[in-house]
Amino acid sequence: MITVNSDGKIMVRRCLVPLRPFRIFILGIGFFTLCFLMTSLGGQFSTKRLGDSPFTIRTEVMGAMESRGVLRKMSDLLEVMVKRMDLLARLENNTDFRKGEQAPFPMDRFPPAAGLMERIQAIAQNVSDIAVKVDQILRHSLLNGKMTEGRQDQCEVPRDPKYPDCSGKVEWMRARWTSDPCYAFFGVDGTECSFLIYLSEVEWFCPPLPWRNQTAATPSSKPQPRVQVAFRSDLAYLLELIGSGKESLIFMKKRIRHLATQWLLATHSLDQKLKSKPRDQKQILIHIGFLTEESGDVFSPRVLKGGPLGEMVQWADILAVLYILGHSLKITVSLKELQSNLGVPPGRGNCPLTIPLPFDLIYTDYHAHTPDNCFMGFVSEELNQTEKQFIKANKANNMAVVYGKEASIWKGKEKFLAILNKYMEIHGTVYYETQRPPEVPAFVKNHGLLPQHDFQQLLRKAKVFIGFGFPYEGPAPLEAIANGCIFLQSRFNPPHSSLNHEFFRGKPTSREVASQHPYAEDFIGKPHVWTVDYNNSEEFEAAIKAIMRTKVDPYLPYEYTCEGMLERIHAYIQHQDFCAASVPPAKPNSHAMQSSPSPFTLSPNGTHLAWSDNASSSSSPPAWPPVNSMQVWVSEAGQACTDACQEHGLVCEPTFFKFQNFSVYLFLPRLNIICDSTESEMNHLYPAMAENVRECYLQKEPLLYSCAGYNTKYRRLCPCRDYRKGQVALCRDCL
């Protein structure tokens, strides 16, 4: 029973004052309800979301069950609120008080209680209707989810001959899917279906699952129009791109500035040679891996004192060339920057990239450079005639400089150092901090690490530059030869390789290195380069005596000049296509193998095969280097293709392997080679022939084509090409 005395009126009024803002709260509840439905439950109305990934169905259905309960609770709450509001409305209508008399807010600003009640009732009805509809959708979704889960539970590894590696990859995923978080990032959860979905949709080892939605395709972006570029002469922006903060970067920038004039002259010369032909600008990412924290960056602390400089010399020259040629560069010196630019999935890097790269080319560090890789190179400073004459006039005939900045390189070299000391004054540039390294004999004049300029001056006085066998293929021997030194290096017997030497061990190459600097031995040679067996004291001493009687002029091969490097990298960028599809080998003994016309012709003397001038356009696909520079020679048993081609004044060209394919085998009988059977297998030595059993082998995996490597039971089929004198990396018609 409600009291209507004055105290009662005051009491009621005190209750009604907070009622007015409470009306606003009720409206807020309605708005919140709608927001809740649009956000928390929005996914339940999206059939696309349910069908996109089986990994999310179970979670969404269980979440939906909880959401359905929330809707029912909200509906019940609104009904209770309606009843209480109805009670308050009657109280307001039956109480005799003046509206707004003691209220801090005018009552006429708010809608009547009856109107508010209608709105609350409408919201409650809407929530109730939505709850019914959601319940129907959830029942349907749960049914579909169970059907899909059934399909998941029944996933089997498909037996499809088009995907022969599928079962093996699934086995690997079962054992190792937790080894990298990137697999979980792509939805792998340890179930058989998740393995198959990943291996078919993220990678390509398994066929697509028939119950998966395959209609969604990534929209293809239109290729951007190519920008024509011109040579650059101002290197200021390149120096800004390289950045600072590391001594290695400081050295590289100093080198670029030092050679700026020579780069400019070389640019004008090459521009005239190319006759201003149009060139497309490439988007290029350069990742200098040896400067990253992950690699240890062991060179920076000693670089300005004259520490190992080979990597920095090469990187500085590559950056200069790419920039001068006019291309757009992005330079990274940290792994985080690299991953960010490539869009690498989170994890340890085992998963492939799934978005298009914004770069045309990526340059990074190499391991075990082999002839299968492109020779990027570096440059040596070119001398003018006045400088050359000055060097010749001031050479010390009895002065030798040893190639070796680390004390460990000198270890075990006492015997032939003693022989050398009988004829020459020996100088070294071995690093030490407090005391002389004990590996360096007392009769050696050690200068410690020298800045690059001081080291150059030392070479200009010396007669001979002595190599101790390591490091391999560095720039210092070329610099010494350019400064008028004779380079004396050791011959390796047996050759160094991944089978017998720690430096190459574990690296993916079967290349054998017969000397410290094979290029200097093979393409420069005497009188500038002498290669002897250091373990043979008599041969070593005879070489020293002969060198003292030999006079040489400073010599720099064209490919190590600024113009030569610009020309070489220009040709690579304009013509190479690493993404071109390889020609798959035909099945051995197939009709195609017997009936397809061969584009090869037998040489007049019957020693090798050459690309026929009459080959049809279909058998002469666009290629670089041009296929008309190719010759096919058969190696001797136990001979690598690098050596087989070199015997005939040629170089092995790995890009030509794909054109040999099967057609060349039709000509083997004319080379007195008989194949009783032919098989396709994966082996880096194939294509090859085993003569003792008259079996021939095709290469099944084009990525394994390699000029390096041999086996005593195989004669390899070697694609060779001609080359330009002074520019071995390019064939005669390659520019």
Side-chain angles (χ1 to χ4, degrees):
M1 184 175 179
I2 300 175
T3 305
V4 294
N5 59 14
S6 59
D7 293 337
K9 291 180 180 179
I10 294 173
M11 180 181 69
V12 171
R13 287 173 182 169
R14 287 176 181 171
C15 291
L16 290 178
V17 167
L19 172 64
R20 292 156 185 164
F22 186 65
R23 295 174 181 175
I24 302 175
F25 171 73
I26 295 298
L27 294 177
I29 287 290
F31 177 74
F32 165 77
T33 303
L34 296 178
C35 292
F36 175 80
L37 293 174
M38 294 298 293
T39 56
S40 299
L41 302 182
Q44 308 303 331
F45 301 107
S46 173
T47 56
K48 176 182 178 182
R49 198 173 190 185
L50 287 172
D52 271 355
S53 174
F55 307 120
T56 58
I57 289 176
R58 184 176 300 172
T59 302
E60 291 188 359
V61 170
M62 292 181 66
M65 297 289 289
E66 297 173 359
S67 301
R68 181 169 54 191
V70 171
L71 279 173
R72 289 175 177 172
K73 289 180 180 179
M74 291 183 66
S75 179
D76 295 341
L77 176 62
L78 285 171
E79 289 180 5
V80 172
M81 292 172 63
V82 167
K83 292 178 181 178
R84 292 183 179 178
M85 287 298 298
D86 183 63
L87 177 62
L88 291 172
R90 290 199 304 271
L91 177 62
E92 182 178 24
N93 293 332
N94 296 330
T95 303
D96 183 18
F97 63 92
R98 291 175 299 173
K99 293 182 179 180
E101 180 179 329
Q102 298 181 5
F105 304 103
M107 292 292 289
D108 55 3
R109 291 188 181 181
F110 301 95
L116 178 62
M117 289 293 299
E118 292 176 359
R119 296 189 182 188
I120 295 175
Q121 290 174 343
I123 292 173
Q125 184 61 45
N126 287 340
V127 172
S128 178
D129 294 342
I130 293 175
V132 172
K133 293 179 180 179
V134 169
D135 186 71
Q136 295 173 350
I137 293 174
L138 292 177
R139 290 178 184 274
H140 185 262
S141 300
L142 186 61
L143 179 62
N144 289 342
K146 290 181 178 179
M147 294 174 61
T148 306
E149 287 180 18
R151 286 198 294 267
Q152 280 189 290
D153 295 339
Q154 297 174 5
C155 279
E156 295 183 358
V157 179
R159 304 291 180 182
D160 191 332
K162 296 179 181 179
Y163 300 88
D165 300 320
C166 183
S167 59
K169 293 296 180 180
V170 171
E171 285 290 331
W172 188 95
M173 292 291 287
R174 289 190 189 115
R176 301 292 304 278
W177 75 273
T178 58
S179 63
D180 194 320
C182 71
Y183 297 120
F185 173 79
F186 283 115
V188 177
D189 61 1
T191 63
E192 205 80 349
C193 278
S194 71
F195 299 151
L196 291 173
I197 291 171
Y198 173 84
L199 292 172
S200 62
E201 297 180 13
V202 180
E203 299 193 33
W204 55 91
F205 294 104
C206 296
L209 298 176
W211 51 271
R212 291 282 292 171
N213 180 13
Q214 304 297 329
T215 58
T218 304
S220 57
S221 58
K222 295 182 179 179
Q224 296 295 323
R226 287 294 183 183
V227 176
Q228 298 300 304
V229 295
F231 288 103
R232 294 187 180 110
S233 58
D234 185 357
L235 300 177
Y237 183 62
L238 171 62
L239 300 177
E240 182 181 332
L241 278 176
I242 293 174
S244 59
K246 291 178 178 286
E247 291 189 356
S248 300
L249 298 176
I250 296 173
F251 171 84
M252 291 161 61
K253 291 165 73 171
K254 287 180 63 176
R255 176 176 175 84
I256 292 172
R257 282 193 292 263
H258 178 69
L259 294 174
T261 301
Q262 294 193 21
W263 285 121
L264 182 61
L265 294 173
T267 300
H268 290 315
S269 179
L270 182 60
D271 193 23
Q272 293 177 358
K273 185 183 296 185
L274 297 176
K275 299 178 181 179
S276 300
K277 293 180 181 177
R279 297 180 297 115
D280 291 339
Q281 185 183 60
K282 305 290 186 180
Q283 302 295 318
I284 300 177
L285 172 65
I286 299 112
H287 178 65
I288 308 178
F290 84 97
L291 290 182
T292 62
E293 294 181 2
E294 291 78 9
S295 70
D297 189 13
V298 297
F299 298 114
S300 289
R302 288 184 284 161
V303 63
L304 297 183
K305 300 176 182 178
L309 304 176
E311 288 81 1
M312 282 149 279
V313 166
Q314 188 172 39
W315 270 122
D317 295 347
I318 290 174
L319 289 171
V321 168
L322 296 176
Y323 184 80
I324 290 170
L325 289 173
H327 300 293
S328 176
L329 308 184
K330 177 71 175 179
I331 303 172
T332 66
V333 292
S334 75
L335 189 59
K336 185 177 181 180
E337 281 183 297
L338 174 67
Q339 293 175 337
S340 174
N341 281 284
L342 295 180
V344 175
R348 299 187 178 91
N350 290 319
C351 296
L353 304 178
T354 56
I355 60 175
L357 291 178
F359 303 104
D360 299 301
L361 290 169
I362 300 175
Y363 290 94
T364 188
D365 308 69
Y366 65 86
H367 299 279
H369 173 71
T370 73
D372 302 342
N373 292 324
C374 301
F375 169 66
M376 297 294 291
F378 44 85
V379 303
S380 292
E381 189 171 354
E382 299 174 61
L383 306 178
N384 57 39
Q385 288 301 318
T386 302
E387 292 171 321
K388 291 180 180 179
Q389 291 300 324
F390 179 83
I391 289 175
K392 290 175 63 177
N394 291 276
K395 277 289 179 183
N397 197 50
N398 64 340
M399 178 179 173
V401 176
V402 174
Y403 183 18
K405 298 178 180 180
E406 298 288 343
S408 59
I409 298 176
W410 292 67
K411 189 175 182 179
K413 309 300 189 300
E414 298 85 0
K415 185 176 181 180
F416 60 79
L417 280 173
I419 298 174
L420 180 63
N421 188 49
K422 290 168 35 180
Y423 301 94
M424 293 189 173
E425 181 183 274
I426 306 175
H427 294 250
T429 57
V430 184
Y431 170 77
Y432 67 95
E433 292 183 354
T434 57
Q435 60 183 7
R436 183 186 179 92
E439 294 87 349
V440 181
F443 54 77
V444 174
K445 184 178 181 180
N446 186 29
H447 300 264
L449 292 181
L450 292 177
Q452 186 70 1
H453 178 266
D454 295 342
F455 181 66
Q456 293 280 350
Q457 296 304 313
L458 192 64
L459 292 177
R460 293 185 178 190
K461 295 178 182 178
K463 173 73 173 182
V464 62
F465 189 56
I466 305 288
F468 278 176
F470 188 84
Y472 302 101
E473 302 174 294
L478 279 301
E479 294 177 349
I481 296 169
N483 282 286
C485 291
I486 292 174
F487 178 50
L488 176 63
Q489 65 171 345
S490 59
R491 179 184 299 112
F492 302 145
N493 188 17
H496 293 179
S497 70
S498 58
L499 300 178
N500 62 13
H501 200 273
E502 190 61 33
F503 178 81
F504 295 106
R505 198 179 310 279
K507 295 180 179 177
T509 176
S510 57
R511 183 192 183 199
E512 292 189 336
V513 179
S515 64
Q516 183 174 354
H517 207 294
Y519 171 87
E521 178 185 8
D522 297 335
F523 297 104
I524 299 179
K526 292 181 178 180
H528 300 280
V529 179
W530 295 59
T531 306
V532 300
D533 184 359
Y534 279 24
N535 295 320
N536 187 326
S537 300
E538 294 180 357
E539 182 181 354
F540 179 78
E541 188 167 6
I544 296 297
K545 293 178 180 180
I547 287 172
M548 294 185 69
R549 298 190 300 266
T550 304
K551 292 185 178 182
V552 295
D553 293 332
Y555 172 70
L556 181 62
Y558 173 74
E559 50 204 327
Y560 288 96
T561 65
C562 290
E563 182 181 345
M565 187 170 181
L566 279 169
E567 178 186 84
R568 180 171 62 255
I569 306 303
H570 155 74
Y572 289 165
I573 293 176
Q574 293 303 122
H575 301 296
Q576 280 182 331
D577 185 2
F578 295 105
C579 301
S582 298
V583 180
K587 294 182 179 179
N589 303 319
S590 67
H591 174 72
M593 187 170 180
Q594 301 297 326
S595 60
S596 178
S598 174
F600 293 98
T601 182
L602 190 67
S603 64
N605 57 8
T607 58
H608 65 279
L609 303 178
W611 197 268
S612 174
D613 294 334
N614 299 323
S616 64
S617 58
S618 60
S619 60
S620 300
W624 193 89
V627 290
N628 58 12
S629 65
M630 175 168 51
Q631 299 179 20
V632 179
W633 290 79
V634 180
S635 76
E636 297 298 327
Q639 185 182 42
C641 282
T642 50
D643 299 325
C645 294
Q646 189 175 336
E647 277 188 358
H648 305 289
L650 306 168
V651 293
C652 183
E653 178 53 63
T655 60
F656 284 160
F657 273 110
K658 60 185 178 184
F659 297 118
Q660 292 179 178
N661 199 18
F662 59 84
S663 57
V664 72
Y665 280 86
L666 303 179
F667 277 87
L668 292 182
R670 300 176 65 177
L671 295 175
N672 297 319
I673 296 175
I674 306 300
C675 298
D676 288 342
S677 65
T678 305
E679 301 292 337
S680 292
E681 295 183 10
M682 292 189 293
N683 189 310
H684 72 287
L685 300 179
Y686 295 165
M689 288 74 64
E691 284 190 306
N692 57 338
V693 292
R694 298 173 66 165
E695 293 179 351
C696 295
Y697 303 93
L698 300 174
Q699 178 58 261
K700 186 178 181 180
E701 175 50 69
L703 294 176
L704 290 180
Y705 286 135
S706 175
C707 291
Y710 65 86
N711 189 297
T712 54
K713 73 176 185 178
Y714 294 133
R715 296 185 68 187
R716 298 195 59 189
L717 203 60
C718 302
C720 310
R721 65 162 171 83
D722 56 32
Y723 60 88
R724 296 171 55 196
K725 184 174 177 58
Q727 189 73 286
V728 179
L730 304 182
C731 68
R732 292 171 188 163
D733 299 322
C734 279
L735 189 61

